């Protein structure tokens, strides 16, 4: 009956929210709290009030702390869900004799306390209970008071603080009582809040840091006094190496487990990690090593297997090619033997035929002489010459009539069929029926060839036919010429003739002529040599006709096939061989040729024919022995210099150009290599290719191989332009006789240099030679050159003058500032012209449809993949440096709970950015010249850029794993490996794009300097928290700010319970928001995309011709 009265009283108390106490009920409760059932019921009711209070505070705190609270219900549940153990509540109920609800802080008091924390104040502001005029013992740290028995307290009241100044006593265990208010607040989970004990030597209430108030001898140490961030209230945090399942019990971590600071439970260590008792973090170095081993194995498999696959494929292709070459050589040898036998038989048959014809013409009794002649001729040729008499008799007896008009020479027809059969074998004496079946089954369309063996056999068969045709062309009869003219099997290239009139180029900055009054033409099917001394404008002339002259003022006219069109409209069928050997050194000779052929030949051309083109160029350039050798670079030796020069020329020959311009292709070559190169070019000229090349002092034999000669004097003036055969005759007409045993081109250049004096009594100086040429052809002579033509006044009067003296205009002497401004203006104008030409689109008049962007992207992708596989050692060094950086930074910077590892992540952003940028510079810095050459020939710039970026994605994926395998397992942060990997992946993607832009915009040395400087400066800017608004806006443009924020947010999200205020304070100070993790990742990716778009635009705008 008494128990029932107590329960009813408690229910009444619950309904009134423990705010209105009856004296009788209070007395009954205080006398029956020793009953476990009653105590349990009261404890649950009190905990219900506490739960309702925290749910009320959640709404208000959520409105102010959304930046640090992602899930309000979840975070408050992790901090104040004491349902698993309410022992500290029961203990406090006993200590306060059921007065606990009168001592708990109301919503207004809790908000008052939390507001002071958000404002960063260490002490609370004066209030109604604790001020200068009223300071009870409950205002001291670790103490609390109750309200008068007549006062009603509403814990949910968030506006007014109740008067709480009576019955003050020490704060209960598991609660904390702040300094400056007289109520209790439950300690959050993860804290340890025991009653303090006085240290007599220091006078400090331990484990807390407050002291007893002076002049109050009855005042003792109370409970906990503060809950704030870890820097100000580390004493209430559950100590590292222990865990606190409740706020009143601290347990040491057992062996095989680890406990971080503020833990509510011990966590089991991984099997391979060593965890003794009181371990703070588990040693995960073994897992880092295991990850490195697994990653290294994977990389070895990828690089090793890929390289092995490429090597195996190349060996198989080499075997197929060699087998096809042997088969074709045997077939060709058999065909030559059969042709020789056929020629012998044909000569014998022709002689016998003449004899028989004479005899048969004398027979009078033959009714049909034509019939007898046909039968005799046919049958006699079927038998050997040793049986002539028997053959004659057989012919006369077995003759049968034939239709008129049918070719009687069946033996000749059979021989031609055998000769034209590409599948002839060693035994060419086969049955006619078998040969007919083979001819029916023969595949004539090369598009049906699929295997490498079939393709190579087709290519080498065609090559042997071309060699035989060249041999036959040496002694062509008139009928042979007619046969070649009517042959339609050979593919013809479109013809390009370039004519130029009064072509003059002058530097815009200096108004100086580098090419002047050049008139003439270069013809298809001819090899034109451009010669002259140094400074004669030979390369400038080639650049002018190729449309590559920048920074020059061009006057005069250039006509393409008699039309005033841009040469850029024919760039798909125009080849330009630069003076420098711009060849991919980490590709083989064949791979360089094959790639150029795939991207630049017509898309309609079948694969066998493309292989044929490549094989033809390799064959005629004499590169068979080094076809599978790497070309080589400066660091790595490859083929010889002469072979490299021929590869440089072959890159343009494989695209079957109609116009081929070469800048000093024979420089550095010996006479044999030069002769081999000229023979290959001669073969191109026979197909109608217009070839123009600059040469320096060729030998007499090479000189005679040219068709035309353009001889330039210093200043870009023409001295001779015409046939090579007539050059000596022309100079002889001027009185310049070439001495004996002197090479004519050497003598011409020596005269133009002023080294040699013309022999004889010509009286012509080197300065007069350009004028003599102008007069000889009827060209106008500029005014400033007439002084060199005083003796030719009779000719000048008949020639109209169209050009004025460029130097006749007065040039007023300018000041230094004026010259400087003019130079800057010229540089800006030059850059503007470069950008305009790079984005200028010309109409394609070449009638050649090359592979599209996606097809070229595939070819580029294959090429870049091969190049990267051959740079495996460089990639391994990059990974090793990144691994060491992760180990060093991980061991030197420990994860700080106060800043959530901000220091280590800051160094990570700087280190990873720096290393990945420097490594990514190689993607475009080393291939600038190659790209300029390829893009100028019409290859897709977008395909080139995307292929490079696609292959770099492999490093983007692997490098974060390499770095984190050391850094993550050394620092062991609370964030997951996946979170750190995603952030680092986006960071590497972003900085790689920035490195692309730096590599394209700057020279390698300058780009490396920027790559080192940018991460440091941007990170310093991003970590400044006290700057102005403008400074913060600048920081928002720094990629390091977003990467660092993503790292810290991912780590801070794992701190809960007692860490809640620490998390909010740290994020508030840094200006970060817990909800912005996805935003940070998106911005990093967006910055990477923008950087790549900028890099591609700069690549298009600043490419050099």
């Amino acid at each position: 009956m008494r128990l029932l009265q107590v329960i009813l009283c408690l229910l009444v108390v619950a309904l009134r929210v423990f705010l209105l106490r009856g004296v009788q009920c209070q007395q009954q409760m205080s006398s029956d709290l020793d009953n476990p059932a009653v105590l349990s019921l009261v404890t649950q009711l009190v905990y219900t009030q506490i739960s309702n209070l925290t749910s009320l505070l959640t709404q208000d705190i959520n409105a102010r702390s959304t930046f640090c609270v992602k899930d309000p219900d979840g975070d408050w549940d992790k901090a104040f869900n004491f349902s698993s153990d309410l022992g500290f509540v029961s203990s406090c109920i006993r200590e306060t004799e059921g007065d606990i609800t009168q001592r708990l802080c109301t919503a207004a008091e809790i908000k008052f306390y939390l507001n002071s924390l958000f404002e960063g104040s260490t002490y609370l502001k004066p209030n109604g209970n604790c001020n200068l005029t009223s300071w009870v013992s409950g205002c001291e740290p670790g103490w609390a008071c109750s309200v008068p028995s007549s006062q009603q307290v509403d814990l949910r009241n968030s506006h007014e603080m109740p008067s709480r100044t009576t019955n003050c006593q020490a704060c209960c265990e598991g609660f904390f009582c702040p300094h400056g208010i007289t109520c209790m607040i439950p300690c959050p989970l993860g804290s340890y809040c025991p009653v303090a004990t006085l240290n007599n030597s220091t006078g400090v209430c331990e484990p807390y840091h407050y002291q007893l108030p002076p002049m109050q001898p009855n005042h003792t140490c109370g409970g906990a006094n503060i809950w704030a961030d870890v820097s100000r209230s580390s004493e209430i945090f559950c100590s590292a190496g222990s865990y606190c399942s409740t706020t009143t019990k601290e347990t040491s971590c057992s062996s095989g487990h680890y406990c971080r600071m503020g833990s509510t439970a011990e966590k089991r260590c991984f099997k391979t990690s060593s965890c003794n008792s009181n371990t703070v973090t588990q040693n995960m170095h073994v897992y880092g090593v295991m990850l490195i081993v697994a990653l290294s194995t994977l990389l070895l498999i990828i690089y090793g297997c890929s390289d092995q696959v490429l090597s195996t494929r190349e060996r198989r292709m080499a075997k197929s090619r060699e087998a096809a070459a042997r088969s074709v050589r045997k077939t060709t040898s058999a065909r030559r033997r059969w042709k020789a036998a056929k020629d012998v038989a044909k000569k014998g048959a022709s002689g016998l035929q003449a004899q028989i014809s004479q005899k048969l013409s004398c027979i009078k009794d033959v009714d049909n002489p034509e019939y007898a002649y046909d039968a005799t001729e046919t049958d006699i040729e079927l038998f050997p010459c040793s049986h002539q008499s028997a053959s004659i008799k057989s012919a006369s007896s077995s003759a049968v009539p034939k239709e008129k008009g049918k070719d009687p020479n069946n033996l000749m027809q059979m021989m031609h069929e055998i000769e034209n059969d590409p599948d002839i074998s060693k035994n060419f004496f086969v049955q006619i029926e078998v040969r007919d079946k083979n001819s029916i089954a023969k595949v004539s369309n090369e598009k049906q060839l699929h295997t490498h063996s079939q393709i190579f056999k087709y290519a080498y068969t065609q090559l042997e036919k071309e060699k035989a045709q060249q041999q036959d062309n040496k002694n062509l009869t008139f009928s042979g010429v007619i046969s070649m003219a009517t042959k339609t099997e050979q593919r013809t290239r479109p013809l390009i003739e370039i004519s130029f009139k009064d072509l003059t180029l002058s530097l815009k900055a200096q108004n100086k002529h580098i090419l002047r009054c050049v008139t003439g033409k270069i013809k298809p099917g001819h090899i034109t040599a451009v010669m002259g001394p140094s400074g004669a404008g030979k390369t400038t002339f080639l650049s002018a006709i190729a449309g590559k002259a920048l920074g020059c003022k061009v006057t005069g006219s250039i006509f393409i096939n008699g039309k005033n069109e841009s040469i850029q409209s024919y760039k798909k069928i125009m080849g330009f061989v630069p003076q420098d050997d711009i060849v991919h050194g980490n590709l083989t000779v064949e791979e360089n040729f094959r790639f150029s052929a795939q991207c630049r030949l017509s898309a309609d051309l079948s694969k066998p024919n493309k292989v044929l083109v490549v094989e033809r160029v390799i064959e005629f350039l004499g590169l068979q022995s080094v076809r599978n050798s790497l070309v080589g670079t400066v660091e790595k030796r490859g083929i010889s210099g002469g072979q490299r020069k021929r590869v440089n020329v072959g890159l343009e020959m494989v695209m079957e150009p109609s116009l081929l311009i070469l800048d000093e292709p024979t420089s550095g070559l010996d006479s044999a290599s030069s002769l081999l190169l000229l023979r290959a070019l001669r073969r191109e000229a026979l197909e109608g290719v217009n070839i123009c090349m600059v040469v320096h002092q060729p030998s007499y034999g090479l000189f005679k191989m040219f068709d035309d000669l353009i001889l330039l004097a210093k200043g870009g003036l023409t001295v001779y332009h015409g046939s090579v055969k007539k050059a000596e005759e022309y100079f002889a007409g001027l009185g310049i006789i070439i001495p004996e045993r002197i090479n004519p081109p050497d003598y011409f250049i020596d005269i133009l240099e002023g080294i040699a004096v013309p022999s004889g009594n010509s009286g012509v100086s080197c300065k007069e030679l350009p004028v003599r040429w102008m007069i000889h052809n009827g060209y106008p002579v500029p005014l400033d050159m007439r002084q060199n033509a005083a003796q030719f006044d009779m000719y000048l009067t008949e020639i109209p003058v169209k050009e004025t003296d460029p130097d006749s205009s007065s040039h007023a002497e300018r000041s230094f500032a004026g010259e400087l401004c003019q130079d800057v203006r010229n540089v800006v104008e030059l850059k503007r012209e470069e950008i305009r030409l790079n984005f200028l689109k010309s109409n394609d008049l070449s009638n050649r449809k090359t592979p599209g962007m996606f097809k070229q992207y595939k070819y580029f992708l294959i090429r870049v993949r091969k190049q990267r596989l051959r740079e495996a050692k460089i990639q391994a060094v990059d990974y090793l440096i990144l691994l060491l950086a992760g180990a060093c930074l991980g061991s030197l910077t420990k994860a700080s709970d106060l800043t959530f590892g901000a220091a280590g992540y800051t160094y990570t952003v700087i280190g990873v950015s720096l290393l990945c940028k420097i490594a990514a510079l190689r993607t475009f810095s080393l291939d600038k010249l190659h790209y300029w050459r390829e893009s100028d020939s019409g290859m897709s710039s977008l395909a080139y850029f995307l292929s490079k970026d696609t292959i770099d994605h492999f490093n983007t994926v692997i490098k974060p794993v390499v770095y984190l395998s050391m850094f993550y397992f050394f620092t062991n942060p609370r964030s997951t490996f996946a979170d750190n990997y995603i952030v680092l992946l986006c960071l590497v993607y972003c900085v790689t794009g920035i490195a692309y832009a730096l590599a394209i915009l700057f020279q390698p040395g300058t780009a490396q300097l920027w790559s080192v400087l940018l991460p440091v400066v941007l990170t310093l800017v991003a970590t400044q928290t006290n700057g102005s608004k403008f400074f913060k806006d600048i920081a928002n443009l720094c990629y390091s700010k977003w990467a660092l924020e993503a790292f810290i947010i991912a780590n801070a999200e794992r701190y809960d319970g007692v860490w809640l205020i620490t998390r909010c304070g740290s994020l508030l100070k840094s200006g970060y928001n817990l909800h912005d993790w996805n935003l940070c990742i998106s911005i990093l990716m967006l910055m990477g995309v923008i950087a790549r778009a900028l890099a591609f635009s700069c690549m298009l705008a600043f490419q050099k011709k």
Side-chain angles (χ1 to χ4, degrees):
M1 189 59 144
R2 181 167 180 164
L3 179 61
L4 181 60
Q5 291 178 354
V6 173
I7 294 175
L8 290 175
C9 184
L10 290 175
L11 290 175
V12 173
V13 173
L15 291 174
R16 295 185 179 182
V17 201
F18 282 82
L19 300 178
L20 184 62
R21 295 182 297 167
V23 178
Q24 181 180 3
C25 185
Q26 172 70 20
Q27 294 174 351
Q28 291 177 353
M29 287 178 59
S30 60
S31 61
D32 291 323
L33 286 178
D34 293 335
N35 190 322
V38 175
L39 182 61
S40 176
L41 180 59
V42 174
T43 301
Q44 289 294 334
L45 292 173
V46 172
Y47 177 66
T48 301
Q49 295 301 309
I50 296 175
S51 300
N52 292 336
L53 178 62
T54 55
S55 62
L56 175 66
L57 292 173
T58 299
Q59 301 176 0
D60 185 72
I61 294 176
N62 185 36
R64 298 189 54 186
S65 59
T66 53
F67 67 94
C68 63
V69 178
K70 195 172 184 179
D71 181 12
D73 295 332
D75 286 335
W76 281 100
D77 187 66
K78 293 177 182 178
F80 298 105
N81 186 1
F82 307 108
S83 58
S84 60
D85 190 350
L86 297 176
F88 76 100
V89 180
S90 301
S91 177
C92 188
I93 291 174
R94 290 196 195 96
E95 292 180 10
T96 60
E97 298 180 351
D99 194 31
I100 183 174
T101 56
Q102 306 302 312
R103 297 176 180 273
L104 290 175
C105 290
T106 63
E109 291 171 309
I110 294 177
K111 288 174 61 178
F112 177 74
Y113 173 73
L114 293 178
N115 287 337
S116 65
L117 292 180
F118 285 124
E119 293 173 0
S121 176
T122 306
Y123 300 97
L124 299 180
K125 296 179 180 179
N127 53 78
N129 295 321
C130 301
N131 51 61
L132 295 178
T133 60
S134 173
W135 190 270
V136 294
S137 58
C139 295
E140 296 295 335
W143 276 59
C145 300
S146 178
V147 298
S149 58
S150 60
Q151 184 177 352
Q152 182 179 357
V153 177
D154 184 7
L155 295 180
R156 302 175 65 88
N157 187 350
S158 59
H159 301 288
E160 297 181 359
M161 297 175 59
S163 175
R164 200 190 305 271
T165 57
T166 63
N167 194 16
C168 298
Q169 65 181 43
C171 197
C172 293
E173 188 178 27
F175 293 83
F176 72 96
C177 300
H179 181 226
I181 57 177
T182 58
C183 58
M184 301 188 304
I185 302 176
C187 290
L189 292 174
S191 62
Y192 178 52
C193 301
V195 176
T197 57
L198 180 63
N199 187 333
N200 294 322
S201 60
T202 60
V204 175
C205 295
E206 296 179 349
Y208 314 112
H209 299 156
Y210 63 86
Q211 295 179 334
L212 295 178
M215 308 301 294
Q216 295 185 18
N218 296 328
H219 195 90
T220 60
C221 292
N225 67 314
I226 187 174
W227 173 45
D229 56 80
V230 67
S231 62
R232 291 185 290 171
S233 61
S234 59
E235 61 272 15
I236 75 165
F237 282 69
C238 192
S239 59
S242 302
Y243 68 96
C244 300
S245 56
T246 66
T247 56
T248 59
K249 182 180 180 182
E250 186 177 57
T251 308
S252 298
C253 238
S254 60
S255 179
H257 298 78
Y258 71 98
C259 301
R260 300 178 185 269
M261 187 178 184
S263 299
T264 58
E266 57 183 1
K267 293 185 179 180
R268 183 177 296 277
C269 296
F270 294 131
K271 293 182 180 180
T272 56
S273 59
S274 58
C275 292
N276 300 323
S277 299
N278 300 325
T279 300
V280 179
T281 57
Q282 57 181 335
N283 188 349
M284 302 176 66
H285 298 173
V286 176
Y287 286 91
V289 174
M290 292 173 59
L291 182 59
I292 282 296
V293 172
L295 186 62
S296 301
T297 304
L298 178 62
L299 293 175
L300 287 175
I301 292 175
I302 292 175
Y303 281 100
C305 291
S306 299
D307 190 40
Q308 189 65 33
V309 168
L310 289 177
S311 301
T312 303
R313 184 182 178 187
E314 289 175 358
R315 285 197 301 269
R316 289 176 62 88
M317 289 182 63
K319 290 181 179 178
S320 300
R321 182 173 54 249
E322 292 171 0
R326 287 195 301 268
S327 175
V328 170
R329 281 196 295 267
K330 292 178 181 178
T331 303
T332 305
S333 178
R335 184 181 292 114
R336 281 198 295 264
R337 292 196 300 269
W338 169 247
K339 187 176 181 181
K342 183 194 71 172
D343 291 340
V344 173
K346 187 185 296 184
K347 290 180 181 179
S350 299
L352 184 59
Q353 176 182 342
Q355 296 177 7
I356 295 176
S357 298
Q358 292 176 0
K359 293 180 179 181
L360 293 180
S361 62
C362 300
I363 300 176
K364 302 296 184 180
D365 56 346
V366 178
D367 297 333
N368 192 355
E370 182 180 357
Y371 155 74
Y373 170 79
D374 291 342
T376 305
E377 179 185 2
T378 303
D379 290 335
I380 286 176
E381 290 188 57
L382 292 173
F383 293 92
C385 298
S386 58
H387 304 287
Q388 292 180 3
S389 59
S391 299
I392 296 172
K393 295 179 181 179
S394 176
S396 60
S397 61
S398 60
V400 293
K402 294 183 180 288
E403 296 180 4
K404 188 174 183 180
K406 186 175 180 179
D407 187 5
N409 199 344
N410 292 333
L411 180 59
M412 294 297 102
Q413 182 179 0
M414 180 186 70
M415 289 180 177
H416 285 299
E417 289 178 356
I418 296 176
E419 180 183 3
N420 295 326
D421 188 359
D423 294 329
I424 186 171
S425 59
K426 293 181 181 179
N427 185 11
F428 49 84
F429 295 104
V430 295
Q431 297 295 331
I432 296 177
E433 295 83 359
V434 177
R435 190 180 70 248
D436 291 339
K437 293 180 181 179
N438 291 338
S439 61
I440 293 174
K442 174 186 173 184
V443 180
S444 60
N445 190 358
E446 66 273 6
K447 292 185 179 180
Q448 299 182 10
L449 305 177
H450 299 292
T451 64
H452 292 299
S453 179
Q454 292 175 339
I455 293 174
F456 284 126
K457 189 172 182 179
Y458 166 77
Y460 282 109
T461 300
Q462 295 299 114
L463 285 177
E464 292 297 333
K465 285 185 177 180
E466 291 177 3
K467 290 180 182 178
Q469 183 65 39
Q470 289 182 357
Q471 189 68 24
D472 295 340
N473 290 343
K474 293 182 179 179
N475 298 311
L476 281 179
T477 61
F478 178 76
S479 60
V481 174
I482 298 300
S483 176
M484 285 186 61
T486 57
K487 192 172 182 180
T488 60
E489 294 180 2
Q490 295 181 348
R491 289 180 287 108
T492 58
R493 307 181 191 180
L495 303 180
I496 294 181
E497 180 185 79
I498 298 181
S499 57
F500 35 90
K501 183 178 181 181
D502 292 334
L503 182 62
T504 301
L505 275 76
S506 58
L507 295 176
K508 293 181 179 179
Q510 304 175 5
N511 197 23
K512 176 183 177 182
H513 290 305
I514 53 179
L515 197 69
R516 193 174 185 189
C517 301
V518 179
T519 301
K521 67 172 60 176
I522 54 177
K523 306 172 184 178
H526 286 220
I527 301 180
T528 303
V530 181
M531 298 176 59
S534 298
K538 301 182 294 297
T539 301
T540 303
F541 171 73
L542 293 187
S543 300
I545 63 175
K548 300 175 182 291
L550 296 178
C552 299
K553 182 181 179 181
V554 182
T555 58
S557 304
I558 299 179
F559 299 95
I560 312 298
N561 292 332
K563 300 179 181 179
N564 189 7
E565 297 172 340
S566 173
I567 191 63
Q568 296 299 323
S569 300
Y570 298 89
K571 65 180 180 180
K572 289 185 178 180
I573 55 175
M574 180 185 70
F576 186 91
V577 180
Q579 184 174 351
D580 299 324
D581 300 332
I582 304 175
V583 186
H584 289 282
N586 47 13
L587 293 177
T588 64
V589 173
E590 183 181 0
E591 288 168 350
N592 274 286
F593 287 166
R594 187 189 307 132
F595 173 79
S596 183
Q598 288 173 337
C599 292
R600 301 178 66 183
L601 285 174
S602 174
D604 299 330
L605 193 63
S606 62
K607 183 178 179 181
N609 277 326
K610 290 182 179 180
V611 174
L612 171 61
V613 172
V614 174
E615 295 297 327
R616 181 189 296 129
V617 172
I618 293 176
E619 179 75 21
F620 285 96
L621 287 177
L623 297 172
Q624 282 285 6
S625 60
V626 294
R627 64 181 303 153
N628 292 323
S629 301
L630 293 178
V631 175
T633 59
V634 177
E635 296 84 5
K636 188 175 181 180
R637 177 70 177 175
I639 60 179
S640 66
Q643 293 168 339
R644 185 184 180 92
K645 178 70 71 174
R646 280 178 275 165
V647 173
N648 188 34
V649 176
L651 287 177
E652 303 301 324
M653 291 177 60
V654 294
M655 52 85 65
E656 295 193 333
S658 296
L659 173 64
L660 184 58
I661 301 174
L662 305 96
D663 191 3
E664 301 183 21
T666 59
S667 298
L669 297 182
D670 55 15
S671 58
S673 299
S674 300
L675 182 61
L676 188 65
L677 178 60
L678 260 295
R679 286 177 178 173
L681 294 177
R682 171 55 61 188
R683 180 197 163 277
E684 293 290 308
L686 290 176
E687 295 190 11
V689 180
N690 191 343
I691 301 176
C692 183
M693 57 189 295
V694 172
V695 290
H696 279 296
Q697 297 180 331
S699 64
Y700 187 71
L702 293 180
F703 182 69
K704 287 299 183 181
M705 294 183 68
F706 297 118
D707 297 305
D708 299 323
L709 172 65
I710 299 178
L711 193 59
L712 299 177
K714 288 186 176 182
L717 294 165
T718 308
V719 173
Y720 177 79
H721 180 15
S723 174
V724 169
K725 299 178 181 179
K726 297 181 180 180
E728 298 182 32
E729 179 183 350
Y730 168 75
F731 284 101
L734 298 178
I736 301 176
I737 307 300
I738 301 174
E740 295 183 359
R741 299 183 179 181
I742 297 296
N743 188 16
D746 292 344
Y747 188 67
F748 295 154
I749 294 177
D750 288 344
I751 291 178
L752 295 177
E753 284 280 7
I755 299 175
V757 179
S759 60
N761 298 321
S762 64
V764 179
S765 64
C766 59
K767 294 182 179 180
E768 297 173 355
L769 290 176
V771 178
R772 295 297 297 266
W773 175 253
M774 294 178 184
I775 296 174
H776 176 76
N777 291 277
Y779 300 154
V781 180
L783 292 177
D784 62 318
M785 297 179 62
R786 291 196 171 199
Q787 59 182 356
N788 297 324
Q791 55 182 326
F792 310 121
D793 288 339
M794 55 181 296
Y795 298 101
L796 293 176
T797 56
E798 301 176 0
I799 302 173
V801 179
K802 299 182 180 180
E803 183 176 333
T804 61
D805 183 8
D807 298 328
S808 61
S809 59
S810 59
H811 299 286
E813 187 173 348
R814 292 175 293 185
S815 63
F816 175 78
E819 292 183 1
L820 181 61
C821 293
Q822 184 64 33
D823 291 341
V824 173
R825 192 179 298 111
N826 292 332
V827 172
V828 173
E829 186 177 353
L830 177 61
K831 291 295 182 182
R832 185 187 306 160
E833 183 180 0
E834 289 180 359
I835 295 174
R836 182 185 64 83
L837 291 178
N838 290 335
F839 287 98
L840 183 65
K841 297 296 183 182
S842 301
N843 295 328
D844 185 15
L845 303 176
S846 60
N847 295 326
R848 175 181 290 187
K849 183 181 179 182
T850 56
M853 193 277 292
F854 292 103
K855 199 71 174 179
Q856 291 191 37
Y857 170 73
K858 173 187 173 183
Y859 298 143
F860 273 110
L861 206 63
I862 295 173
R863 186 185 75 176
V864 178
R865 179 173 62 90
K866 289 182 179 180
Q867 291 174 320
R868 292 299 171 83
L869 288 175
R870 287 168 182 155
E871 296 173 354
K873 291 183 179 179
I874 299 178
Q875 300 293 329
V877 171
D878 289 343
Y879 295 149
L880 180 60
I881 294 175
L882 205 59
L883 188 71
L884 294 176
C888 293
L889 295 179
S891 59
L892 295 177
T893 59
K894 299 298 181 182
S896 172
D897 291 323
L898 178 61
T899 59
F900 309 116
Y905 288 133
T906 302
Y907 297 141
T908 293
V909 171
I910 295 176
V912 172
S913 299
L914 191 150
L915 295 176
C916 292
K917 278 183 183 178
I918 292 179
L921 290 178
R922 294 193 300 266
T923 302
F924 290 100
S925 289
L926 303 180
D927 289 344
K928 280 186 178 180
L929 295 177
H930 302 86
Y931 164 71
W932 291 338
R933 178 177 182 177
E934 292 170 352
S935 64
D936 198 42
S937 65
M939 292 189 190
S940 172
S941 298
L942 182 59
Y944 169 82
F945 185 88
L946 290 179
S947 64
K948 292 271 192 179
D949 188 37
T950 302
I951 296 300
D952 271 351
H953 287 342
F954 179 78
N955 287 330
T956 304
V957 173
I958 295 297
K959 284 185 175 181
V961 181
V962 174
Y963 179 82
L964 289 177
S965 62
M966 290 287 100
F967 179 81
Y968 182 84
F969 294 108
F970 270 92
T971 57
N972 195 13
R974 299 200 182 193
S975 55
T976 63
F977 185 90
D979 290 338
N980 285 269
Y981 174 77
I982 293 174
V983 177
L984 208 56
L985 176 71
C986 298
L987 175 63
V988 174
Y989 179 79
C990 177
V991 299
T992 301
I994 296 175
Y996 291 166
L998 295 177
I1000 292 171
L1001 283 173
F1002 303 106
Q1003 295 297 323
T1006 308
Q1008 290 177 3
L1009 181 61
W1010 276 106
S1011 297
V1012 174
L1013 189 63
L1014 275 180
V1016 179
V1017 174
L1018 295 182
T1019 305
L1020 291 177
V1021 172
T1023 53
Q1024 297 297 320
T1025 58
N1026 299 324
S1028 61
K1029 183 179 183 300
F1030 175 76
F1031 202 76
K1032 290 181 179 179
D1033 293 338
I1034 296 297
N1036 289 333
L1037 299 178
C1038 302
Y1039 70 88
S1040 52
K1041 186 256 185 187
W1042 301 103
L1044 188 59
E1045 182 175 356
F1047 275 124
I1048 293 177
I1049 288 175
N1051 200 25
E1053 192 176 358
R1054 300 297 188 276
Y1055 286 79
D1056 49 36
V1058 70
W1059 293 99
L1060 192 57
I1061 292 181
T1062 304
R1063 183 174 77 187
C1064 291
S1066 179
L1067 294 179
L1068 179 64
K1069 182 179 179 181
S1070 302
Y1072 298 155
N1073 193 318
L1074 206 62
H1075 299 270
D1076 289 347
W1077 190 81
N1078 291 329
L1079 177 64
C1080 295
I1081 296 301
S1082 301
I1083 290 179
L1084 285 175
M1085 296 296 293
L1086 180 62
M1087 285 184 173
V1089 173
I1090 293 175
R1092 283 164 170 79
L1094 176 63
F1096 180 68
S1097 301
C1098 293
M1099 189 177 71
L1100 294 178
F1102 298 107
Q1103 61 176 318
K1104 295 183 179 180
K1105 297 295 182 181

